[in-house]
Coordinates of all heavy atoms in Angstrom, one line a residue:
M294 N 0.8 -1.2 0.0 CA 0.0 0.0 0.0 C 0.9 1.3 0.0 O 0.6 2.2 -0.7 CB -0.9 0.0 1.2 CG -1.9 1.1 1.3 SD -3.0 1.1 -0.1 CE -3.9 2.6 0.1
S295 N 1.9 1.2 0.8 CA 2.8 2.4 0.9 C 3.5 2.6 -0.4 O 3.8 3.8 -0.8 CB 3.8 2.3 2.1 OG 4.6 1.2 1.8
R296 N 3.8 1.5 -1.1 CA 4.5 1.6 -2.4 C 3.5 2.3 -3.4 O 4.0 3.2 -4.2 CB 4.8 0.2 -2.9 CG 5.9 0.2 -3.8 CD 6.2 -1.2 -4.2 NE 7.4 -1.7 -3.7 CZ 8.0 -2.9 -4.0 NH1 7.3 -3.7 -4.8 NH2 9.1 -3.2 -3.5
L297 N 2.3 2.0 -3.4 CA 1.3 2.7 -4.2 C 1.2 4.2 -3.9 O 1.2 5.0 -4.9 CB -0.1 2.0 -4.1 CG -1.2 2.6 -5.0 CD1 -0.9 2.3 -6.4 CD2 -2.5 2.0 -4.6
L298 N 1.2 4.5 -2.7 CA 1.1 5.9 -2.3 C 2.3 6.7 -2.7 O 2.3 7.8 -3.2 CB 0.9 6.0 -0.8 CG -0.4 5.7 -0.2 CD1 -0.4 5.8 1.3 CD2 -1.5 6.6 -0.8
F299 N 3.5 6.0 -2.6 CA 4.7 6.6 -3.1 C 4.7 6.9 -4.6 O 5.0 8.0 -5.0 CB 5.9 5.6 -2.8 CG 7.2 6.1 -3.5 CD1 7.9 7.1 -3.0 CD2 7.6 5.4 -4.7 CE1 9.1 7.5 -3.7 CE2 8.7 5.8 -5.4 CZ 9.5 6.9 -4.8
W300 N 4.2 6.0 -5.4 CA 4.1 6.2 -6.8 C 3.1 7.3 -7.2 O 3.3 8.1 -8.1 CB 3.8 4.9 -7.6 CG 5.0 4.0 -7.6 CD1 5.2 2.8 -6.9 CD2 6.3 4.2 -8.3 NE1 6.4 2.3 -7.2 CE2 7.1 3.1 -8.0 CE3 6.7 5.2 -9.1 CZ2 8.4 3.0 -8.5 CZ3 8.0 5.1 -9.6 CH2 8.8 4.1 -9.3
I301 N 2.0 7.3 -6.5 CA 1.0 8.3 -6.7 C 1.6 9.7 -6.4 O 1.4 10.7 -7.1 CB -0.3 8.0 -5.9 CG1 -1.1 6.8 -6.5 CG2 -1.2 9.3 -5.8 CD1 -2.2 6.4 -5.6
A302 N 2.2 9.8 -5.2 CA 2.9 11.1 -4.8 C 3.9 11.5 -5.9 O 4.0 12.7 -6.2 CB 3.5 10.9 -3.4
L303 N 4.7 10.5 -6.3 CA 5.7 10.9 -7.3 C 5.0 11.4 -8.6 O 5.5 12.4 -9.2 CB 6.5 9.6 -7.6 CG 7.7 9.8 -8.5 CD1 8.8 10.8 -7.9 CD2 8.4 8.5 -8.9
A304 N 4.0 10.7 -9.1 CA 3.3 11.1 -10.3 C 2.7 12.5 -10.1 O 2.8 13.4 -11.0 CB 2.2 10.1 -10.6
V305 N 2.1 12.8 -8.9 CA 1.6 14.2 -8.7 C 2.7 15.2 -8.7 O 2.5 16.3 -9.3 CB 0.9 14.2 -7.3 CG1 0.6 15.6 -6.9 CG2 -0.4 13.4 -7.4
L306 N 3.8 14.9 -8.1 CA 5.0 15.8 -8.2 C 5.5 16.1 -9.6 O 5.7 17.2 -10.0 CB 6.1 15.3 -7.3 CG 5.9 15.5 -5.8 CD1 7.1 14.8 -5.0 CD2 5.8 16.9 -5.4
V307 N 5.6 15.0 -10.4 CA 6.0 15.2 -11.8 C 5.0 16.0 -12.6 O 5.4 16.9 -13.3 CB 6.2 13.8 -12.4 CG1 6.4 13.9 -13.9 CG2 7.4 13.1 -11.8
V308 N 3.8 15.7 -12.4 CA 2.7 16.5 -13.1 C 2.8 18.0 -12.7 O 2.8 18.9 -13.5 CB 1.3 15.9 -12.9 CG1 0.3 16.9 -13.4 CG2 1.2 14.6 -13.6
A309 N 3.0 18.2 -11.4 CA 3.0 19.6 -10.9 C 4.3 20.3 -11.5 O 4.2 21.5 -11.9 CB 3.1 19.6 -9.4
A310 N 5.4 19.6 -11.5 CA 6.6 20.2 -12.1 C 6.5 20.5 -13.6 O 6.9 21.6 -14.0 CB 7.8 19.3 -11.9
I311 N 5.8 19.6 -14.3 CA 5.7 19.9 -15.7 C 4.7 21.0 -16.0 O 5.0 21.9 -16.8 CB 5.1 18.6 -16.4 CG1 6.2 17.5 -16.5 CG2 4.6 18.9 -17.8 CD1 5.7 16.2 -16.9
R312 N 3.6 21.1 -15.2 CA 2.7 22.2 -15.3 C 3.4 23.5 -15.0 O 3.2 24.6 -15.7 CB 1.5 22.0 -14.5 CG 0.6 20.9 -15.0 CD -0.7 20.8 -14.2 NE -1.5 22.0 -14.4 CZ -2.6 22.2 -13.8 NH1 -3.1 21.3 -13.0 NH2 -3.3 23.3 -14.0
S313 N 4.2 23.5 -14.0 CA 4.9 24.8 -13.6 C 5.8 25.2 -14.7 O 5.9 26.4 -15.0 CB 5.7 24.5 -12.3 OG 6.6 25.6 -12.1
K314 N 6.6 24.3 -15.3 CA 7.5 24.6 -16.4 C 6.7 25.1 -17.6 O 7.1 26.1 -18.2 CB 8.3 23.4 -16.8 CG 9.4 23.0 -15.8 CD 10.6 24.0 -16.0 CE 11.6 23.7 -15.0 NZ 12.7 24.7 -14.9
L315 N 5.6 24.5 -17.9 CA 4.8 25.0 -19.0 C 4.3 26.4 -18.8 O 4.3 27.2 -19.7 CB 3.6 24.0 -19.3 CG 4.0 22.7 -20.0 CD1 2.8 21.8 -20.1 CD2 4.5 23.0 -21.4
R316 N 3.8 26.6 -17.5 CA 3.3 28.0 -17.2 C 4.4 29.0 -17.4 O 4.2 30.1 -17.9 CB 2.8 28.0 -15.8 CG 1.4 28.7 -15.7 CD 0.8 28.6 -14.4 NE 0.4 27.3 -14.0 CZ 0.7 26.6 -12.9 NH1 1.5 27.2 -12.0 NH2 0.3 25.4 -12.7
Q317 N 5.6 28.7 -16.9 CA 6.8 29.6 -17.1 C 7.1 29.8 -18.5 O 7.3 31.0 -18.9 CB 8.0 29.0 -16.4 CG 8.0 29.1 -14.9 CD 9.3 28.5 -14.3 OE1 10.1 28.0 -15.0 NE2 9.4 28.5 -13.0
A318 N 7.0 28.8 -19.3 CA 7.3 28.9 -20.8 C 6.3 29.8 -21.4 O 6.6 30.7 -22.3 CB 7.4 27.6 -21.4
V319 N 5.0 29.6 -21.1 CA 4.0 30.4 -21.7 C 4.1 31.9 -21.3 O 4.0 32.8 -22.1 CB 2.6 29.9 -21.3 CG1 1.5 30.9 -21.6 CG2 2.3 28.5 -22.0
K320 N 4.4 32.1 -20.0 CA 4.6 33.5 -19.5 C 5.8 34.1 -20.2 O 5.7 35.3 -20.6 CB 4.8 33.4 -18.0 CG 4.3 34.7 -17.3 CD 4.6 34.6 -15.8 CE 3.7 33.7 -15.1 NZ 4.0 33.6 -13.7
R321 N 6.9 33.4 -20.4 CA 8.0 34.0 -21.0 C 7.7 34.3 -22.5 O 8.2 35.3 -23.0 CB 9.2 33.0 -21.0 CG 10.5 33.6 -20.7 CD 11.6 32.6 -20.6 NE 11.4 31.7 -19.5 CZ 11.5 30.3 -19.7 NH1 11.9 29.8 -20.8 NH2 11.3 29.5 -18.7
H322 N 6.9 33.4 -23.1 CA 6.6 33.6 -24.5 C 5.7 34.8 -24.7 O 5.8 35.5 -25.7 CB 5.9 32.4 -25.1 CG 5.7 32.4 -26.6 ND1 6.8 32.3 -27.4 CD2 4.6 32.5 -27.3 CE1 6.3 32.4 -28.7 NE2 5.0 32.5 -28.6
Q323 N 4.8 35.1 -23.8 CA 3.8 36.2 -23.9 C 4.4 37.5 -23.5 O 3.9 38.5 -24.0 CB 2.6 35.9 -23.0 CG 1.7 34.8 -23.5 CD 0.6 34.5 -22.6 OE1 0.7 34.8 -21.4 NE2 -0.3 33.7 -23.1
Q324 N 5.5 37.6 -22.7 CA 6.1 38.8 -22.3 C 6.9 39.4 -23.5 O 7.6 38.7 -24.1 CB 7.0 38.6 -21.1 CG 6.3 38.5 -19.8 CD 7.2 38.2 -18.7 OE1 8.4 37.9 -18.9 NE2 6.7 38.3 -17.5
P325 N 6.7 40.7 -23.7 CA 7.6 41.3 -24.8 C 9.0 41.4 -24.2 O 9.2 41.3 -23.0 CB 7.0 42.7 -24.9 CG 6.3 43.0 -23.6 CD 5.8 41.6 -23.1
P326 N 10.0 41.5 -25.2 CA 11.4 41.6 -24.7 C 11.6 42.8 -23.8 O 10.9 43.8 -24.0 CB 12.1 41.7 -26.0 CG 11.1 42.0 -27.1 CD 9.8 41.5 -26.6
D327 N 12.6 42.6 -22.9 CA 12.9 43.7 -22.0 C 13.3 45.0 -22.8 O 14.0 44.9 -23.7 CB 14.1 43.3 -21.1 CG 13.7 42.2 -20.2 OD1 12.4 42.0 -19.9 OD2 14.6 41.5 -19.7
P328 N 12.7 46.1 -22.4 CA 13.1 47.4 -23.0 C 14.6 47.6 -22.7 O 15.1 47.3 -21.7 CB 12.2 48.4 -22.4 CG 11.7 47.8 -21.1 CD 11.7 46.3 -21.3
Q329 N 15.2 48.3 -23.6 CA 16.6 48.6 -23.5 C 16.8 49.6 -22.3 O 16.1 50.6 -22.3 CB 17.2 49.2 -24.8 CG 17.2 48.3 -25.9 CD 18.0 47.0 -25.7 OE1 19.1 47.1 -25.1 NE2 17.4 45.9 -26.0
P330 N 17.8 49.3 -21.4 CA 18.0 50.3 -20.3 C 18.5 51.6 -20.9 O 19.4 51.6 -21.7 CB 19.0 49.6 -19.4 CG 19.6 48.6 -20.3 CD 18.6 48.2 -21.4
V331 N 18.0 52.7 -20.4 CA 18.4 54.0 -20.8 C 19.6 54.4 -19.9 O 19.4 54.5 -18.7 CB 17.3 55.0 -20.8 CG1 17.8 56.4 -21.2 CG2 16.1 54.6 -21.7
Q332 N 20.7 54.7 -20.5 CA 21.8 55.1 -19.7 C 22.2 56.5 -20.0 O 22.2 56.9 -21.2 CB 23.0 54.1 -20.0 CG 22.7 52.7 -19.6 CD 23.8 51.7 -19.9 OE1 24.7 52.1 -20.6 NE2 23.8 50.6 -19.3
P333 N 22.6 57.2 -19.0 CA 22.9 58.6 -19.3 C 24.2 58.7 -20.1 O 25.1 57.9 -19.9 CB 23.2 59.2 -17.8 CG 23.4 58.0 -17.0 CD 22.6 56.9 -17.6
P334 N 24.3 59.6 -21.0 CA 25.4 59.8 -21.9 C 26.6 60.3 -21.1 O 26.5 61.0 -20.1 CB 25.0 60.8 -23.0 CG 23.9 61.5 -22.3 CD 23.2 60.6 -21.4
G335 N 27.8 60.0 -21.6 CA 29.0 60.5 -21.0 C 29.4 59.7 -19.8 O 30.4 60.1 -19.1
R336 N 28.8 58.6 -19.5 CA 29.1 57.9 -18.3 C 30.0 56.7 -18.7 O 29.8 56.1 -19.8 CB 27.8 57.4 -17.7 CG 28.0 56.9 -16.3 CD 26.6 56.7 -15.6 NE 26.8 56.2 -14.3 CZ 25.8 55.7 -13.6 NH1 24.6 55.5 -14.1 NH2 26.0 55.3 -12.4
A337 N 30.9 56.4 -17.9 CA 31.8 55.2 -18.2 C 31.0 53.9 -18.2 O 30.3 53.7 -17.3 CB 32.9 55.2 -17.2
Q338 N 31.2 53.2 -19.3 CA 30.4 51.9 -19.4 C 31.4 50.8 -19.6 O 32.3 50.9 -20.4 CB 29.4 52.0 -20.5 CG 28.4 53.1 -20.3 CD 27.5 53.3 -21.5 OE1 27.8 52.8 -22.6 NE2 26.5 54.1 -21.4
G339 N 31.1 49.7 -19.0 CA 32.0 48.5 -19.2 C 31.5 47.6 -20.3 O 30.8 48.1 -21.3
A340 N 31.8 46.4 -20.2 CA 31.4 45.4 -21.3 C 29.8 45.3 -21.3 O 29.3 45.1 -22.4 CB 32.0 44.0 -21.0
A341 N 29.2 45.5 -20.2 CA 27.7 45.4 -20.2 C 27.1 46.5 -21.0 O 26.2 46.3 -21.7 CB 27.2 45.4 -18.8
G342 N 27.7 47.7 -20.9 CA 27.3 48.9 -21.6 C 27.5 48.7 -23.1 O 26.6 49.0 -23.9
Q343 N 28.6 48.1 -23.5 CA 28.9 47.8 -24.9 C 27.9 46.8 -25.4 O 27.4 46.9 -26.5 CB 30.3 47.3 -25.1 CG 31.4 48.4 -24.9 CD 32.8 47.8 -25.1 OE1 33.0 46.6 -25.1 NE2 33.7 48.7 -25.3
A344 N 27.6 45.8 -24.6 CA 26.7 44.7 -25.1 C 25.3 45.3 -25.3 O 24.6 45.0 -26.2 CB 26.6 43.6 -24.1
A345 N 24.9 46.2 -24.3 CA 23.6 46.9 -24.4 C 23.5 47.7 -25.7 O 22.5 47.8 -26.4 CB 23.3 47.7 -23.2
R346 N 24.6 48.5 -25.9 CA 24.7 49.3 -27.1 C 24.6 48.5 -28.4 O 23.9 48.8 -29.3 CB 25.9 50.2 -27.1 CG 25.6 51.7 -27.2 CD 26.9 52.5 -27.2 NE 27.6 52.4 -25.9 CZ 28.9 52.1 -25.8 NH1 29.7 52.0 -26.8 NH2 29.5 52.0 -24.6
A347 N 25.3 47.4 -28.4 CA 25.3 46.5 -29.6 C 23.9 45.9 -29.8 O 23.4 45.8 -30.9 CB 26.3 45.4 -29.4
R348 N 23.3 45.6 -28.7 CA 21.9 45.0 -28.8 C 20.9 46.1 -29.3 O 20.1 45.8 -30.2 CB 21.5 44.6 -27.4 CG 20.6 43.3 -27.4 CD 20.2 42.8 -26.1 NE 20.4 43.7 -24.9 CZ 21.3 43.4 -24.0 NH1 22.0 42.4 -23.9 NH2 21.4 44.3 -23.0
A349 N 21.1 47.3 -28.8 CA 20.2 48.4 -29.3 C 20.4 48.7 -30.8 O 19.5 48.9 -31.5 CB 20.4 49.7 -28.4
E350 N 21.7 48.6 -31.2 CA 22.0 48.9 -32.6 C 21.5 47.8 -33.5 O 20.9 48.0 -34.5 CB 23.6 48.9 -32.7 CG 24.0 49.4 -34.1 CD 25.5 49.6 -34.1 OE1 26.1 50.2 -33.1 OE2 26.2 49.1 -35.0
A351 N 21.5 46.5 -33.0 CA 21.0 45.4 -33.7 C 19.5 45.5 -33.9 O 18.9 45.3 -34.9 CB 21.3 44.1 -33.1
V352 N 18.8 46.0 -32.8 CA 17.4 46.2 -32.9 C 17.0 47.3 -33.9 O 16.1 47.2 -34.7 CB 16.8 46.5 -31.5 CG1 15.4 46.9 -31.5 CG2 16.9 45.2 -30.6
A353 N 17.8 48.4 -33.8 CA 17.6 49.5 -34.7 C 17.8 49.1 -36.2 O 17.1 49.5 -37.1 CB 18.5 50.7 -34.4
N354 N 18.8 48.2 -36.4 CA 19.1 47.7 -37.8 C 18.3 46.6 -38.2 O 18.4 46.1 -39.4 CB 20.6 47.4 -37.9 CG 21.5 48.6 -37.7 OD1 21.0 49.7 -37.9 ND2 22.7 48.4 -37.3
A355 N 17.4 46.0 -37.3 CA 16.6 44.9 -37.7 C 15.7 45.2 -38.8 O 15.1 46.3 -38.9 CB 15.9 44.4 -36.5
E356 N 15.5 44.2 -39.7 CA 14.7 44.5 -40.9 C 13.4 43.7 -40.7 O 13.3 42.6 -40.1 CB 15.4 43.9 -42.1 CG 14.8 44.4 -43.4 CD 15.6 44.1 -44.6 OE1 16.8 43.7 -44.4 OE2 15.1 44.3 -45.7
T357 N 12.3 44.3 -41.2 CA 11.0 43.6 -41.2 C 11.0 42.4 -42.0 O 11.6 42.3 -43.1 CB 9.9 44.6 -41.7 OG1 10.0 45.8 -41.0 CG2 8.6 44.0 -41.6
M358 N 10.4 41.3 -41.5 CA 10.4 40.0 -42.2 C 9.0 39.9 -42.7 O 8.0 40.2 -42.1 CB 10.7 38.9 -41.2 CG 12.1 39.0 -40.7 SD 13.4 38.9 -41.9 CE 13.5 37.2 -42.1
L359 N 8.9 39.3 -43.9 CA 7.6 39.1 -44.6 C 7.5 37.6 -44.8 O 8.5 36.9 -44.9 CB 7.5 39.8 -45.9 CG 7.5 41.4 -45.8 CD1 7.6 42.0 -47.2 CD2 6.4 41.9 -45.0
C360 N 6.2 37.1 -45.0 CA 5.9 35.7 -45.2 C 5.5 35.5 -46.7 O 4.7 36.2 -47.2 CB 4.8 35.2 -44.3 SG 4.4 33.5 -44.5
C361 N 6.2 34.6 -47.4 CA 5.9 34.4 -48.8 C 4.5 33.8 -48.9 O 4.2 32.8 -48.2 CB 7.0 33.5 -49.4 SG 6.6 33.0 -51.1
A362 N 3.7 34.3 -49.8 CA 2.3 33.8 -50.0 C 2.4 32.4 -50.7 O 1.4 31.7 -50.6 CB 1.5 34.7 -50.9
H363 N 3.5 32.0 -51.3 CA 3.5 30.7 -51.9 C 4.1 29.6 -51.0 O 3.5 28.6 -50.8 CB 4.4 30.8 -53.2 CG 4.5 29.5 -53.9 ND1 3.4 29.0 -54.7 CD2 5.5 28.6 -54.0 CE1 3.7 27.8 -55.2 NE2 5.0 27.6 -54.8
C364 N 5.3 29.9 -50.5 CA 6.0 28.8 -49.7 C 5.9 29.0 -48.2 O 6.2 28.1 -47.5 CB 7.4 28.7 -50.2 SG 8.5 30.1 -49.9
G365 N 5.6 30.2 -47.8 CA 5.5 30.4 -46.3 C 6.8 30.8 -45.7 O 6.8 30.9 -44.4
V366 N 7.8 30.9 -46.4 CA 9.1 31.2 -45.8 C 9.2 32.7 -45.5 O 8.6 33.5 -46.2 CB 10.3 30.9 -46.9 CG1 11.5 31.6 -46.5 CG2 10.5 29.4 -46.9
Y367 N 9.8 33.0 -44.3 CA 10.0 34.4 -43.9 C 11.3 34.9 -44.5 O 12.3 34.2 -44.5 CB 10.0 34.5 -42.4 CG 8.6 34.4 -41.8 CD1 8.1 33.2 -41.5 CD2 7.9 35.5 -41.6 CE1 6.8 33.1 -41.0 CE2 6.6 35.4 -41.1 CZ 6.1 34.2 -40.8 OH 4.8 34.1 -40.3
Y368 N 11.2 36.1 -45.1 CA 12.4 36.7 -45.8 C 12.4 38.2 -45.5 O 11.4 38.8 -45.1 CB 12.3 36.4 -47.3 CG 11.0 36.9 -47.9 CD1 11.0 38.2 -48.5 CD2 9.9 36.2 -47.8 CE1 9.8 38.7 -49.0 CE2 8.7 36.7 -48.3 CZ 8.7 37.9 -48.9 OH 7.5 38.4 -49.4
P369 N 13.6 38.9 -45.7 CA 13.7 40.3 -45.4 C 12.8 41.1 -46.4 O 12.6 40.7 -47.6 CB 15.1 40.6 -45.7 CG 15.8 39.3 -45.6 CD 14.9 38.3 -46.0
A370 N 12.2 42.1 -45.9 CA 11.3 43.0 -46.7 C 12.0 43.6 -47.9 O 11.3 43.9 -48.9 CB 10.6 44.0 -45.8
S371 N 13.3 43.8 -47.8 CA 14.0 44.4 -48.9 C 14.1 43.4 -50.1 O 14.3 43.9 -51.2 CB 15.5 44.7 -48.4 OG 16.2 43.6 -48.1
E372 N 13.9 42.1 -49.9 CA 13.9 41.2 -51.0 C 12.5 40.9 -51.5 O 12.3 39.9 -52.2 CB 14.6 39.9 -50.5 CG 16.0 40.1 -50.1 CD 16.6 38.8 -49.5 OE1 16.0 37.7 -49.6 OE2 17.7 38.9 -48.9
N373 N 11.5 41.7 -51.1 CA 10.1 41.4 -51.4 C 9.8 41.5 -52.9 O 10.3 42.4 -53.5 CB 9.2 42.3 -50.6 CG 7.7 42.0 -50.8 OD1 7.4 40.8 -50.9 ND2 6.9 43.0 -50.8
V374 N 9.0 40.6 -53.4 CA 8.5 40.7 -54.8 C 7.0 40.7 -54.6 O 6.4 39.7 -54.2 CB 9.0 39.5 -55.6 CG1 8.3 39.6 -57.0 CG2 10.5 39.4 -55.7
A375 N 6.4 41.9 -54.8 CA 5.0 42.0 -54.7 C 4.3 41.8 -56.0 O 4.7 42.3 -57.0 CB 4.6 43.4 -54.2
A376 N 3.2 41.0 -56.0 CA 2.4 40.7 -57.2 C 1.0 40.5 -56.8 O 0.7 39.7 -55.9 CB 3.0 39.5 -57.9
A377 N 0.1 41.1 -57.4 CA -1.4 41.0 -57.2 C -1.7 41.2 -55.7 O -2.5 40.5 -55.2 CB -1.8 39.6 -57.7
G378 N -1.1 42.2 -55.1 CA -1.4 42.5 -53.7 C -0.8 41.5 -52.7 O -1.2 41.6 -51.5
R379 N 0.0 40.6 -53.1 CA 0.6 39.6 -52.2 C 2.1 39.7 -52.2 O 2.7 40.3 -53.2 CB 0.2 38.2 -52.6 CG -1.3 37.9 -52.4 CD -1.6 36.5 -52.9 NE -3.0 36.2 -52.7 CZ -3.5 35.5 -51.7 NH1 -2.7 35.0 -50.9 NH2 -4.8 35.3 -51.6
D380 N 2.7 39.2 -51.2 CA 4.2 39.3 -51.0 C 4.8 37.9 -51.3 O 4.3 36.9 -50.8 CB 4.5 39.8 -49.6 CG 4.0 41.2 -49.3 OD1 4.0 42.0 -50.3 OD2 3.6 41.4 -48.2
Y381 N 5.9 37.9 -52.1 CA 6.5 36.7 -52.4 C 8.0 36.8 -52.1 O 8.6 37.9 -52.2 CB 6.3 36.3 -53.9 CG 4.8 36.1 -54.2 CD1 4.0 37.1 -54.7 CD2 4.3 34.8 -54.0 CE1 2.7 36.9 -55.0 CE2 2.9 34.6 -54.3 CZ 2.2 35.6 -54.8 OH 0.8 35.4 -55.0
C382 N 8.7 35.7 -51.9 CA 10.1 35.7 -51.6 C 11.0 35.8 -52.9 O 12.1 36.1 -52.8 CB 10.5 34.4 -50.8 SG 10.3 32.9 -51.8
S383 N 10.4 35.4 -54.0 CA 11.2 35.5 -55.3 C 10.2 35.7 -56.4 O 9.0 35.5 -56.3 CB 11.9 34.2 -55.4 OG 11.1 33.1 -55.6
A384 N 10.8 36.0 -57.6 CA 10.0 36.2 -58.8 C 9.4 34.9 -59.2 O 8.2 34.9 -59.7 CB 10.8 36.8 -59.9
A385 N 10.1 33.8 -59.0 CA 9.5 32.5 -59.4 C 8.3 32.2 -58.6 O 7.3 31.7 -59.2 CB 10.6 31.4 -59.2
H386 N 8.3 32.5 -57.3 CA 7.1 32.2 -56.5 C 6.0 33.2 -56.8 O 4.8 32.9 -56.7 CB 7.5 32.2 -55.0 CG 8.1 30.9 -54.6 ND1 8.5 30.7 -53.3 CD2 8.5 29.8 -55.3 CE1 9.1 29.5 -53.3 NE2 9.1 29.0 -54.5
A387 N 6.4 34.4 -57.3 CA 5.3 35.4 -57.6 C 4.6 34.9 -58.8 O 3.4 35.2 -59.0 CB 6.0 36.8 -57.8
Q388 N 5.2 34.2 -59.7 CA 4.6 33.7 -60.9 C 3.7 32.5 -60.6 O 2.7 32.2 -61.4 CB 5.6 33.3 -62.0 CG 6.3 34.6 -62.6 CD 7.4 34.2 -63.5 OE1 7.8 33.0 -63.6 NE2 8.0 35.2 -64.2
L389 N 4.0 31.8 -59.6 CA 3.2 30.6 -59.2 C 2.0 31.1 -58.4 O 2.1 32.1 -57.7 CB 4.0 29.6 -58.4 CG 5.2 29.0 -59.2 CD1 6.1 28.2 -58.2 CD2 4.8 28.1 -60.3
A390 N 1.0 30.3 -58.4 CA -0.2 30.7 -57.6 C 0.1 30.4 -56.1 O 0.8 29.5 -55.8 CB -1.4 29.8 -58.0
P391 N -0.5 31.3 -55.2 CA -0.3 31.0 -53.8 C -0.9 29.7 -53.4 O -2.0 29.2 -54.0 CB -1.1 32.2 -53.1 CG -1.9 32.8 -54.1 CD -1.4 32.4 -55.5
L392 N -0.3 29.0 -52.5 CA -0.8 27.7 -52.0 C -2.0 27.9 -51.2 O -2.2 28.7 -50.4 CB 0.3 26.9 -51.3 CG 1.5 26.6 -52.1 CD1 2.5 25.9 -51.2 CD2 1.1 25.6 -53.2
Ligands
ZN90 ZN1 8.4 31.6 -51.6

C-alpha cells in the first residue's frame, strides 16, 4: 500500500513540475522583450554597456520580415517581390499561384 502511495505522490509531483514549467514557458513567450535600459550619456560603461549598445544597434538595424504567399518562408522585406497584392520571396514564386 505504501508503495502505491509513493508512486501516486511521485506522479503528482512530476505533473506539478511539468505544469509549472509549461506555465513559465507560456509566460516567457507572452512577455515582450525587455526594453533597453536608458543610460545617461558620457558615463563610463563597461562590457555590459557595450553589449547593451550593440543590442540596441541590432534592434535598430533589424529588418522587417515578410511571409511568402507561396511557400510560407519568412524573408527580409528588402527582398520582397509584390504581385497581385501579395508578397513573395522570389519572382519565381510570384509567378506561381499561392498555395
Ligand atoms: Zn516563396
Side-chain angles (χ1 to χ4, degrees):
M294 184 64 186
S295 64
R296 206 181 247 185
L297 180 66
L298 287 177
F299 168 78
W300 286 111
I301 288 173
L303 186 66
V305 167
L306 284 176
V307 167
V308 168
I311 289 172
R312 290 185 65 182
S313 169
K314 284 285 178 190
L315 283 176
R316 227 177 289 130
Q317 282 177 1
V319 167
K320 209 181 285 179
R321 220 177 303 131
H322 188 71
Q323 288 174 344
Q324 284 176 347
D327 293 338
Q329 297 300 319
V331 178
Q332 296 179 343
R336 196 169 181 195
Q338 297 172 352
Q343 286 181 348
R346 237 179 295 130
R348 214 174 19 242
E350 192 174 311
V352 168
N354 294 337
E356 195 171 350
T357 302
M358 300 297 280
L359 298 174
C360 181
C361 177
H363 181 74
C364 64
V366 161
Y367 284 87
Y368 58 95
S371 63
E372 299 174 13
N373 186 35
V374 178
R379 291 175 180 261
D380 297 324
Y381 297 94
C382 66
S383 63
H386 283 180
Q388 290 174 350
L389 298 169
L392 294 178

